[in-house]
Amino acid sequence: MNKITIVGGGPAGTAAALRAAELGAEVTLLEARALGGTCVVDGCVPTRVLARAARMAREVRDAHLWGLEVGEVGVRWDRIMQRVDDTVRSVSAARASAGELAQAGVDVRVGHHARFVDAHTLEFGDDKVEADAILLCMGGSPRALPIPGAELATLPNEVLSWDTLPERVAVVGSGSTGAQLVTVFSSLGSQVTLLDVAPRILPHADGDVAATVEVAFRSQGITVTTGIDGLTAIERLEDAAATSADHGGGPLRLRYGSGGTETALEVDAVVLATGWPARTEGLGLDAAGIDHGPGRIPVDAYLRTSVPHIYAPGDANQRDMLVQSAAEEGEAAAVNAVLGPTRSTPHALLPWGGFTDPDTAGVGLTEEEASRHDDECITALVPLSGLERAIIDERTEGFLKLIADRRRSMVLGAHAAGESAVEVIHAVTTAMASGTDPATLARVQFAYPTYSAAIGAAAQELLREGS
């Protein structure tokens, strides 16, 4: 019987443990904190709760548009945090639990950080755990910046420890996490500044999606500054002592370079959403002979590290860093560890979504990517301003874009900004996965009035573009 040891009890680790046990392996799972992983405990699940609270605040403010009279929106940050805690407990209970893992025969051990002794042995507290194969599913952690005063900043997971919501917040980093936190803070009443060294916000997204969100942010009173040279320092102001425990050490002065000059910004909190490197500190990768770079562990198509019996699925390899891909990679790594390298994990159809205002989502190639690789690609963009459901809901901001290959008559990508963008993109993902061509998609009779009807309209536009 193969002995498999898994480091980390998040989506990748629990999926790997259950699959390896199902295949007959003797499985040990080592977790430092609690089962569920960063996403459930202090990552995307709490952020989604905050996003829900932010949406409700916006809807209450807009209630008068439907003839409803309500009072001013009052924000009780302590009650929002209680809601976060309750939801995390409920989601944790709904996901793979210690009981489910134990029932599958997995030996779950919690409470210490694992460390390599050699390529087949891990130290876990006072125990030495030996294995034929090891899966590194420890995920990632927020990146702090090496600047003076970095300790005064708040990392995204530390937002949950605030006692109050700051009046003025600077968010550094405009990827999915930063953009979502910007929406949360702004919707709940904070004055928000968004800073990034990238030339535009949401650098991973389709250009039209990023542009739409930036215009929306500015219209909401959010200050957006991109293309900065970088942060130079964070300083505590002299009158900060009385409030420093409330929310990240404020009031603070944030210094950053832009265009060769230094700018100083006074805020009550600085949130650093500047990356998500693999959590490898203290793991002792060198003792196992594992090649690794800054914040990542390189893997091959079968998720093997430079040491063939050691695998690194999920955030550790920095390929996609999404819950759904981590679980898929965890299961694939388990299969490869038990049965041999037979299962790869191509992620061409990996949808992503962001709960900003407006929502964002995408799958497949962006228009920029498709244009670089395919001179026969065509696009169709349907504005929500002409969609009946969006008009009914007073949510006409945004669009759905489809990208297709004219020669092969296949959808290459889909991207959206606006209400229900994430759910709409999932429908397109299903069509792409089944090989549905634009002509067939154009004939689908979508329910009326729905946001998904934009899919049919965009497919019909593709046919006109391709004729």
Side-chain angles (χ1 to χ4, degrees):
M1 178 183 291
N2 287 342
K3 283 187 174 183
I4 307 293
T5 296
I6 297 166
V7 179
T14 52
L18 291 171
R19 184 63 172 133
E22 182 182 306
L23 293 172
E26 180 183 331
V27 183
T28 300
L29 189 152
L30 310 177
E31 167 57 46
R33 297 191 301 165
L35 293 177
T38 298
C39 182
V40 172
V41 177
D42 52 16
C44 47
V45 169
T47 300
R48 184 67 189 98
V49 177
L50 295 178
R52 175 62 174 160
R55 170 181 281 272
M56 293 182 73
R58 297 192 300 270
E59 290 178 345
V60 170
R61 293 188 187 103
D62 291 341
H64 67 280
L65 298 173
W66 282 267
L68 303 177
E69 295 183 2
V70 295
E72 290 293 320
V73 177
V75 176
R76 287 287 304 273
W77 185 256
D78 59 333
R79 293 187 181 179
I80 294 175
M81 289 301 101
Q82 184 60 56
R83 179 69 180 182
V84 167
D85 292 342
D86 292 345
T87 303
V88 167
R89 282 193 292 270
S90 297
V91 172
S92 296
R95 296 184 67 86
S97 64
E100 184 180 356
L101 291 164
Q103 187 175 7
V106 178
D107 178 10
V108 178
R109 308 184 192 183
V110 178
H112 302 283
H113 291 279
R115 184 181 65 84
F116 276 104
V117 176
D118 56 47
H120 284 277
T121 309
L122 287 158
E123 183 179 77
F124 191 73
D126 294 330
D127 298 333
K128 295 287 194 304
V129 183
E130 295 184 352
D132 299 310
I134 297 171
L135 278 61
L136 302 179
C137 307
M138 60 284 173
S141 56
R143 174 185 285 119
L145 296 180
I147 59 171
E151 71 280 359
L152 300 175
T154 302
L155 298 176
N157 58 313
E158 295 170 344
V159 167
L160 304 178
S161 65
W162 283 349
D163 296 326
T164 60
L165 182 67
E167 292 183 11
R168 304 166 299 172
V169 186
V171 176
V172 183
S174 66
S176 291
T177 298
Q180 289 178 104
L181 290 176
V182 163
T183 287
V184 168
F185 301 148
S186 177
S187 298
L188 295 180
S190 296
Q191 178 185 331
V192 183
T193 299
L194 176 60
L195 302 170
D196 204 323
V197 297
R200 64 172 172 89
I201 69 170
L202 294 172
H204 68 285
D206 183 87
D208 286 331
V209 170
T212 298
V213 174
E214 181 168 342
V215 169
F217 278 2
R218 293 185 187 278
S219 71
Q220 295 159 18
I222 297 163
T223 300
V224 179
T225 304
T226 55
I228 69 171
D229 301 329
L231 305 190
T232 54
I234 303 172
E235 303 161 351
R236 178 178 285 133
L237 300 182
E238 292 182 2
D239 59 347
T243 59
S244 61
D246 291 341
H247 41 242
L252 306 169
R253 179 180 292 114
L254 172 63
R255 296 186 183 276
Y256 65 93
S258 181
T261 62
E262 186 176 78
T263 299
L265 177 67
E266 292 190 6
V267 294
D268 298 302
V270 176
V271 178
L272 300 179
T274 53
W276 191 255
R279 187 182 282 120
T280 58
E281 186 177 357
L283 188 56
L285 296 176
D286 292 336
I290 301 170
D291 291 343
H292 57 97
R296 64 183 289 267
I297 302 175
V299 295
D300 65 11
Y302 301 103
L303 301 166
R304 295 176 298 189
T305 69
S306 59
V307 180
H309 69 274
I310 301 178
Y311 298 75
D315 291 356
N317 62 49
Q318 296 285 288
R319 293 204 309 186
D320 296 301
M321 296 179 291
L322 295 170
V323 169
Q324 59 270 34
S325 60
E328 169 70 13
E329 288 189 354
E331 185 171 327
V335 170
N336 294 335
V338 177
L339 302 179
T342 58
R343 182 168 164 183
S344 60
T345 55
H347 292 161
L349 287 181
L350 182 63
W352 63 269
F355 300 100
T356 47
D357 180 25
D359 289 347
T360 57
V363 65
L365 299 180
T366 65
E367 184 174 354
E368 298 90 338
E369 290 168 341
S371 298
R372 286 197 300 268
H373 300 296
D374 188 344
D375 58 6
E376 289 290 328
C377 74
I378 53 176
T379 64
L381 189 149
V382 174
L384 296 189
S385 58
L387 193 69
E388 290 91 333
R389 175 58 185 273
I391 295 171
I392 293 168
D393 291 350
E394 195 77 18
R395 298 290 291 174
T396 56
E397 185 177 48
F399 65 89
L400 170 67
K401 176 195 289 187
L402 294 183
I403 306 161
D405 184 296
R406 189 197 313 264
R407 287 172 306 198
R408 293 178 290 170
S409 189
M410 63 183 296
V411 179
L412 302 175
H415 304 274
E419 190 72 7
S420 296
V422 180
E423 303 303 330
V424 170
I425 287 299
H426 279 142
V428 182
T429 303
T430 302
M432 292 172 67
S434 63
T436 303
D437 61 20
T440 302
L441 201 55
R443 292 195 297 270
V444 174
Q445 299 181 44
F446 291 91
Y448 178 90
T450 61
Y451 289 98
S452 295
I455 300 171
Q460 292 165 14
E461 180 62 27
L462 278 180
L463 295 184
R464 288 189 288 269
E465 287 288 328
S467 60

